[in-house]
Amino acid sequence: MKLIHCADIHLDSALATSLTRQEARRRNDELFETFIKMMDYAQREKVRAVLVAGDLFDSENGREAVRKKVLEAVAAHPQVDFLVLSGNHDGEQLFNTVPDSGFNMTLNGNSLPKNLKLFPGAGKAYRYGNVVITGLNSLKLPSNLHLKPEDTNIVMMHGQIDRFGSFAGRNIDYLALGHIHKYKKGSIDSRGVYCYSGCLEARGFDECGEKGFVLLDTAAAVSGSAGSGTENIAAESPKCGTARKIAARFVPFAKRKAWEITVDCTDIVTTPQLYEMVKTQIAKRALEEQTEPADSQDMIRVVLTGAKQSQAAYDMDYIKKYLEQEYYLVRLKDETGSVREESGFEAYLEKYIMDSDETEDMKQEILACVKAALSQN
């Protein structure tokens, strides 16, 4: 049986950090289009169920029209079950505000498609033969969660794994996680693995890299019989056994990728030199990440850093104009200082902050506080 594990789709996002209002509107449309495209893929590839491990929507107070469109999309793919767990953004009452749409089953007075499966309360489970999918709306494993060792057990949760407590010895085969927007995998014990699918599409430049979903196959051996690209997602751990019940592979699926490229301008004086360095760094990043180079579909943010020479003169409009001929969306951010102003300690702190896992807004807030403090000395 094939399953899709995805999370953090964040439909109906504000997208105000990196995009203009018009750009945000277009990007929101693209998020929904990719969601529909994933549902089409599921039906075409005979996927039995799509598991959304939280944050299908960006807010629990989102527009009714968007939620109704989701219900209509689910109903239009009747051969695929849609198992959706609430997250920290969309809350437990996912579809409470959607007016009646003529569907067959009801929840809290609202009509829902038969193939939409929710997880009210802790420990609700759905069985597909010997495969049991359990959804937990809690940051703690409930004491009454008892998974049978003879079943193939998939558990869905939303949050950071190190805050959940121990999963070892609980007969979990695959822990489908949401909340972290980057693909991440690892081992629970000799039987089970955990995985963050990451988000389906980048919404800003704090979500760079490949985005997509994880395709699971409960009928294929992890050794590779599920097809090319199948991997043992916990193969890095020496504690992992070989008797895995579920094969898994990450499927890149985003319409666009977001890239943030840092260019040190310390030794750059002219606009052509800067433009060539930008292009070089973009190509270098693709090699480092072992992925396809940025193309005309992608969003690029170039951050200029370092100590600018006194004779340096950059035409930023020129650079932006020519980059916009090659990429879908371009942002330039000038964080250079003069040779006289540049502090090695300040540069170190800035790099440390920008390389952290904080959101883009939080990075800028921390950076502003640091610069304000240093300026008083």
Side-chain angles (χ1 to χ4, degrees), residues 16-18 163 205-207 260 301 333 335 349-371:
T17 303
S18 304
R163 299 182 183 177
F205 295 102
D206 55 343
E207 295 177 351
E260 182 168 273
R301 177 160 69 181
K333 191 173 184 181
E335 295 182 352
L349 284 178
E350 183 170 336
K351 185 177 187 307
Y352 181 82
I353 293 166
M354 298 308 294
D355 288 345
S356 71
D357 293 330
E358 298 291 345
T359 65
E360 188 64 28
D361 286 345
M362 182 58 70
K363 288 178 186 178
Q364 295 303 324
E365 186 175 336
I366 295 172
L367 195 58
C369 290
V370 169
K371 289 185 176 181

Side-chain angles (χ1 to χ4, degrees), residues 257-263 274-296 298-303 319 322-324 326-327 329-332:
K257 286 174 61 178
W259 301 74
E260 182 168 273
I261 309 298
T262 301
V263 177
L274 179 56
Y275 179 77
E276 288 305 314
M277 181 58 73
V278 168
K279 295 292 293 179
T280 298
Q281 291 301 105
I282 292 173
K284 182 180 177 182
R285 176 62 60 81
L287 289 174
E288 291 172 348
E289 297 183 0
Q290 297 182 329
T291 188
E292 292 295 321
D295 61 28
S296 60
D298 292 347
M299 305 181 293
I300 303 280
R301 177 160 69 181
V302 179
V303 182
I319 293 173
Y322 280 91
L323 289 176
E324 285 177 339
E326 300 183 55
Y327 306 109
L329 185 143
V330 175
R331 292 286 186 271
L332 296 179

Side-chain angles (χ1 to χ4, degrees), residues 68-273:
K68 186 175 180 180
K69 283 171 63 179
V70 169
L71 293 180
E72 291 169 348
V74 172
H77 299 80
Q79 297 170 341
V80 182
D81 282 354
F82 191 67
L83 281 63
V84 59
L85 187 75
S86 61
N88 60 305
H89 278 260
D90 49 18
E92 295 186 14
Q93 309 302 322
L94 287 168
F95 295 100
N96 271 8
T97 62
V98 180
D100 185 88
S101 303
F103 298 115
N104 295 315
M105 61 180 288
T106 62
L107 179 71
N108 298 326
N110 297 317
S111 297
L112 301 177
K114 284 185 176 181
N115 57 326
L116 177 63
K117 314 293 184 183
L118 303 178
F119 294 93
K124 172 70 176 177
Y126 297 95
R127 177 178 286 275
Y128 297 83
N130 70 327
V131 177
V132 178
I133 303 171
T134 304
L136 301 178
N137 288 311
S138 170
L139 292 181
K140 286 186 177 181
L141 282 169
S143 58
N144 62 347
L145 178 65
H146 300 294
L147 304 175
K148 296 180 180 179
E150 64 269 24
D151 287 332
T152 298
N153 295 304
I154 298 173
V155 175
M156 298 170 61
M157 296 184 77
H158 188 86
Q160 293 181 235
I161 189 170
D162 56 355
R163 299 182 183 177
F164 289 145
S166 175
F167 295 93
R170 304 300 293 267
N171 297 318
I172 297 173
D173 293 291
Y174 184 87
L175 182 60
L177 293 166
H179 187 58
I180 293 178
H181 291 194
K182 185 176 182 179
Y183 175 56
K184 183 180 180 181
K185 57 196 177 181
S187 175
I188 298 173
D189 53 24
S190 60
R191 171 171 176 160
V193 296
Y194 73 85
C195 184
Y196 288 93
S197 65
C199 51
L200 198 57
E201 286 271 3
R203 296 176 301 142
F205 295 102
D206 55 343
E207 295 177 351
C208 297
E210 292 282 11
K211 304 300 175 187
F213 56 78
V214 179
L215 182 64
L216 309 176
D217 194 335
T218 63
V222 175
S223 60
S225 61
S228 62
T230 300
E231 58 174 335
N232 181 342
I233 65 171
E236 301 88 354
S237 173
K239 297 180 181 179
C240 290
T242 57
R244 302 292 180 190
K245 292 186 177 182
I246 300 175
R249 65 184 174 94
F250 178 75
V251 179
F253 206 71
K255 178 182 179 68
R256 307 189 192 282
K257 286 174 61 178
W259 301 74
E260 182 168 273
I261 309 298
T262 301
V263 177
D264 186 346
C265 297
T266 302
D267 298 321
I268 299 174
V269 176
T270 68
T271 298
Q273 285 178 330

